[in-house]
Amino acid sequence: QFSDHEERLSGSDGEEDEDDVEAALKKEVGQIRASTEQKLRRFQSVESGANNVVFIRTQGIEPENLVHHILKDMHTTKKKKTRVILRMLPISGTCKAFMEDMKKYTETFFEPWFKAPNKGTFQIVYKARNNSHMSREEVIKELAGIVGSLNPENKVDLNNPQYTVVVEIIKTVCCLSVVRDYVLFRKYNLQEVVKSSKEDGQQNPSSLTEEQNSEVVKAETEEKSSKEVKEENK
């Protein structure tokens, strides 16, 4: 936008034609700016394709850090800050929900956490909505094999793993994320994490400063952004 002083310098008070052109130009610039700002909103709702599931696409925000920070705050303060949201999961990548596509995609997607020299204990949690062609056992077996192939020192731990691989399938889209403190934060359940428990005294949430500085890998098969924060109440 031009300041009033700049407008007076660049315009001619006596020529209406120039004023009209300038007004039209300013209007067009304003429309372009408004359109750009709308596309670059920090949070934008996206149709999920499943009942009771809401996707929030983020711009310039790491969904893993954001969701972990929210849960860490709720776990520490024990203050219930939502009545209708049950779970909140970060989604770092998406691909087609077919075994070959998932295998090809996760070979690269898992690297920031599990490729040597990186290593850690892990578990895989799986949930499918509006999808019946995928086998839970097959998906877990194949993805665990990929994690093991990246570094043989990666070990399965179903009790208190360092990382939890979250696999959420909705129709023909596979949503993926690797999260920390999944057990401590009650499976990222916003209602349960505020409840007091004796186990809380035995575990401490990971420091955000220790967050893996992972490079975001965009899904080749999806035109939408691969970074979305998912809120679900089911």
Side-chain angles (χ1 to χ4, degrees):
Q1 292 181 342
F2 295 107
S3 66
D4 292 339
H5 177 66
E6 289 171 329
E7 289 175 1
R8 287 196 296 271
L9 291 177
S10 62
S12 174
D13 295 334
E15 298 183 7
E16 294 183 359
D17 290 344
E18 290 187 10
D19 291 340
D20 292 342
V21 171
E22 183 177 349
L25 180 61
K26 288 178 65 177
K27 181 178 180 181
E28 182 176 355
V29 171
Q31 292 174 341
I32 294 174
R33 181 180 292 111
S35 176
T36 302
E37 290 176 350
Q38 184 177 13
K39 292 179 181 179
L40 299 179
R41 284 185 297 176
R42 293 179 71 197
F43 302 99
Q44 184 174 1
S45 179
V46 179
E47 179 61 38
S48 69
N51 294 332
N52 303 320
V53 178
V54 177
F55 273 92
I56 304 297
R57 175 182 292 152
T58 65
Q59 176 71 28
I61 297 175
E62 293 287 348
E64 300 95 335
N65 289 351
L66 175 63
V67 176
H68 190 275
H69 179 79
I70 292 172
L71 285 158
K72 182 179 179 181
D73 176 67
M74 296 180 68
H75 176 269
T76 303
T77 61
K78 298 300 181 184
K79 291 183 179 180
K80 187 175 181 179
K81 300 181 179 182
T82 175
R83 290 183 300 172
V84 296
I85 300 174
L86 181 61
R87 299 176 73 209
M88 181 179 288
L89 292 171
I91 298 302
S92 305
T94 61
C95 64
K96 289 185 177 180
F98 297 95
M99 201 64 253
E100 290 303 315
D101 295 274
M102 293 170 62
K103 288 167 63 176
K104 181 178 179 180
Y105 182 66
T106 53
E107 287 175 355
T108 303
F109 177 77
F110 287 153
E111 288 184 355
W113 298 274
F114 301 116
K115 185 176 181 179
N118 298 326
K119 63 179 181 179
T121 58
F122 72 98
Q123 67 171 343
I124 299 175
V125 296
Y126 173 93
K127 187 175 182 63
R129 296 177 177 83
N130 302 340
N131 180 295
S132 59
H133 74 270
M134 297 298 296
S135 166
R136 176 181 180 275
E137 291 74 18
E138 182 184 4
V139 169
I140 292 177
K141 179 181 178 181
E142 293 292 345
L143 297 190
I146 292 173
V147 173
S149 66
L150 293 174
N151 188 341
E153 294 187 34
N154 293 321
K155 302 297 181 184
V156 174
D157 184 347
L158 302 181
N159 296 318
N160 188 31
Q162 290 175 267
Y163 302 110
T164 295
V165 177
V166 177
V167 182
E168 294 273 335
I169 293 179
I170 301 177
K171 292 186 175 179
T172 59
V173 178
C174 174
C175 303
L176 294 162
S177 60
V178 179
V179 302
R180 297 170 295 127
D181 299 316
Y182 189 76
V183 176
L184 176 64
F185 290 158
R186 304 294 186 268
K187 299 180 180 180
Y188 277 38
N189 187 309
L190 302 186
Q191 307 299 323
E192 294 293 328
V193 76
V194 298
K195 296 180 180 180
S196 298
S197 172
K198 294 180 181 179
E199 296 178 3
D200 292 348
Q202 302 173 2
Q203 297 177 319
N204 293 312
S206 303
S207 171
L208 282 176
T209 59
E210 298 174 354
E211 175 70 21
Q212 289 275 358
N213 186 19
S214 59
E215 178 180 356
V216 178
V217 182
K218 291 187 177 181
E220 298 177 354
T221 56
E222 297 296 323
E223 294 181 356
K224 65 180 183 178
S225 168
S226 65
K227 303 185 68 179
E228 302 166 340
V229 177
K230 182 177 69 171
E231 302 173 347
E232 59 172 319
N233 63 1
K234 188 172 182 181

